[in-house]
Amino acid sequence: MKFKLASYLQREFIRHPSPTWKCSHESRLLPYDLEKFLGYEPRVDILMERLDGSQRLWIEFEISRADPVANHAKFATSHLFQPQNATDIFVSMISPAVDRGRRNLAANTILLMRHIGMNAFQTVLLPQFSKEEIQNLNKLPIAEIENENLDIDREIERVLTITEPVLTSSETRIHFASDLMDVMLNLRMWNEEIQTPQGSQLWGKRTITYFVFDPVSYKFAPSKFCAYVAIPSEKQQVQSSLLGFSRSEMTINLYITLDGQDTRFDGRRAWLHLTRGLMMNRVEAHEDPSITEAFHDWLKLHQNSIKVHPHGAIFLCPPKWFK
């Protein structure tokens, strides 16, 4: 059953295309005879196409599915029979109404899709709303959803921001983190690598203002480190298939290589993306004593690696629905 909110989003994406794009809905991606053979139809909620034909985005809205990973599997298995074109990108947009475990399972399935050669991303959908608010929106008639003045341009902007590389090399494409799971995986990576002699030596001691906070582990990490992911090039993906699985977290070694070498790898752009794009909450130290206490405990463990900016620390926290 197609819920009203998904239908509304389809209509509005078509009505609000970016200047160089056009949109259509329920687009078929496989030949009819292959759909008939498979017994399922991999059709996307929205197909965004550049006007010059150079790129297509397959966009799926996951409003409240109990199994959002089902669409990932549908498109991944279709790829086995008709490989995705190099100019196509799968994008799953998952709302806060999907619980944390299921959305994280879907986010990690994106890594499997990349591992079999697909261009794939997952991001948030309407992250400014709570689970209950999304559920209520989904029950409204479309005419009433219109009265909510949803910022569709912001949703389209997020899709284009995460799918466009910030910078590229022969081995890696650097993108903004597309999902909160990406951000937390980076946080986890920093905390693991800084404990190693090599990671600690490479990092040195840096002055940091913005810190991402993980309300599950009660750990922190520099926001710039958390805001970017490194997706292996097609050549590197092939090599990793032979040598082992390759993920896309930022690493201290890569961070040090990029930091100061390219202005596109920038701390201000990082925290703006996390707050504007992924709707992380900006919290100053005096605003939440519990976070500040956790930060001081964490900082004691990393005082040789982190110096807090004289103006004080600022925390970027995921929306409440993420925990």
Side-chain angles (χ1 to χ4, degrees):
M1 180 177 70
K2 177 64 70 175
F3 288 100
K4 295 182 177 66
L5 181 54
S7 297
Y8 174 79
L9 290 170
Q10 286 179 318
R11 190 190 76 180
E12 294 303 300
F13 265 62
I14 292 170
R15 289 178 57 186
H16 293 77
S18 291
T20 57
W21 295 81
K22 63 179 180 180
C23 296
S24 57
H25 73 286
E26 299 297 335
S27 297
R28 173 180 282 133
L29 297 177
L30 295 181
Y32 174 74
D33 59 341
L34 185 52
E35 283 187 351
K36 187 176 180 181
F37 172 76
L38 293 175
Y40 54 88
E41 302 173 351
R43 300 188 185 189
V44 290
D45 287 329
I46 284 291
L47 183 65
M48 285 185 65
E49 301 176 85
R50 286 193 184 274
L51 297 180
D52 62 7
S54 63
Q55 192 174 60
R56 299 194 307 173
L57 304 179
W58 310 350
I59 301 174
E60 282 289 302
F61 302 129
E62 304 294 356
I63 307 295
S64 58
R65 286 176 67 109
D67 58 343
V69 76
N71 271 326
H72 298 57
K74 181 168 65 176
F75 288 99
T77 54
S78 299
H79 173 76
L80 302 177
F81 294 90
Q82 180 170 300
Q84 181 192 48
N85 292 330
T87 54
D88 287 357
I89 301 175
F90 171 83
V91 182
S92 176
M93 303 187 75
I94 299 189
S95 89
V98 177
D99 73 39
R100 177 173 169 270
R102 290 189 174 98
R103 70 176 300 115
N104 286 350
L105 174 61
N108 290 333
T109 303
I110 291 292
L111 300 177
L112 295 177
M113 296 173 79
R114 292 174 185 165
H115 194 60
I116 62 171
M118 297 186 70
N119 290 321
F121 294 85
Q122 179 171 301
T123 193
V124 292
L125 174 67
L126 302 172
Q128 68 272 34
F129 293 103
S130 68
K131 176 179 180 177
E132 293 73 24
E133 288 170 332
I134 291 290
Q135 291 171 337
N136 289 335
L137 278 173
N138 212 18
K139 297 173 184 176
L140 294 176
I142 287 180
E144 292 188 31
I145 298 177
E146 290 175 346
N147 296 331
E148 298 295 323
N149 296 316
L150 303 185
D151 192 346
I152 301 301
D153 290 334
R154 176 75 65 89
E155 301 303 308
I156 294 174
E157 175 189 344
R158 183 181 305 111
V159 170
L160 298 180
T161 297
I162 64 164
T163 55
E164 184 69 22
V166 176
L167 55 100
T168 61
S169 69
S170 60
E171 296 184 350
T172 308
R173 301 194 321 268
I174 304 299
H175 287 256
F176 281 116
S178 60
D179 192 77
L180 291 164
M181 185 63 171
D182 291 332
V183 176
M184 296 307 165
L185 284 171
N186 280 345
L187 180 147
R188 182 171 177 263
M189 179 65 78
W190 189 91
N191 280 275
E192 288 181 354
E193 290 197 326
I194 203 67
Q195 296 181 51
T196 67
Q198 181 183 13
S200 178
Q201 182 177 5
L202 282 171
W203 182 264
K205 188 169 185 176
R206 292 169 176 258
T207 300
I208 306 295
T209 301
Y210 288 88
F211 296 85
V212 169
F213 171 58
D214 176 9
V216 177
S217 69
Y218 270 64
K219 292 181 179 179
F220 299 77
S223 65
K224 184 176 173 181
F225 188 94
C226 296
Y228 296 91
V229 294
I231 301 176
S233 66
E234 184 176 347
K235 178 181 177 181
Q236 289 296 108
Q237 288 279 19
V238 171
Q239 291 178 350
S240 70
S241 295
L242 299 175
L243 300 174
F245 188 69
S246 178
R247 301 203 306 249
S248 57
E249 292 102 311
M250 179 57 61
T251 65
I252 288 179
N253 184 54
L254 179 58
Y255 183 98
I256 298 304
T257 301
L258 296 172
D259 193 31
Q261 301 301 311
D262 195 305
T263 56
R264 291 169 293 181
F265 188 71
D266 176 72
R268 184 173 185 274
R269 293 184 72 194
W271 65 257
L272 281 174
H273 170 66
L274 295 176
T275 54
R276 176 178 170 82
L278 299 186
M279 293 300 292
M280 298 191 76
N281 299 309
R282 184 183 187 275
V283 178
E284 296 196 21
H286 68 273
E287 295 178 313
D288 194 319
S290 64
I291 295 178
T292 301
E293 182 180 356
F295 178 68
H296 287 155
D297 290 341
W298 174 85
L299 191 60
K300 290 175 185 177
L301 302 175
H302 303 292
Q303 55 188 344
N304 293 328
S305 303
I306 296 290
K307 178 182 178 182
V308 178
H309 193 278
H311 291 163
I314 298 174
F315 310 123
L316 303 183
C317 309
K320 291 182 179 179
W321 52 258
F322 180 76
K323 185 174 180 180

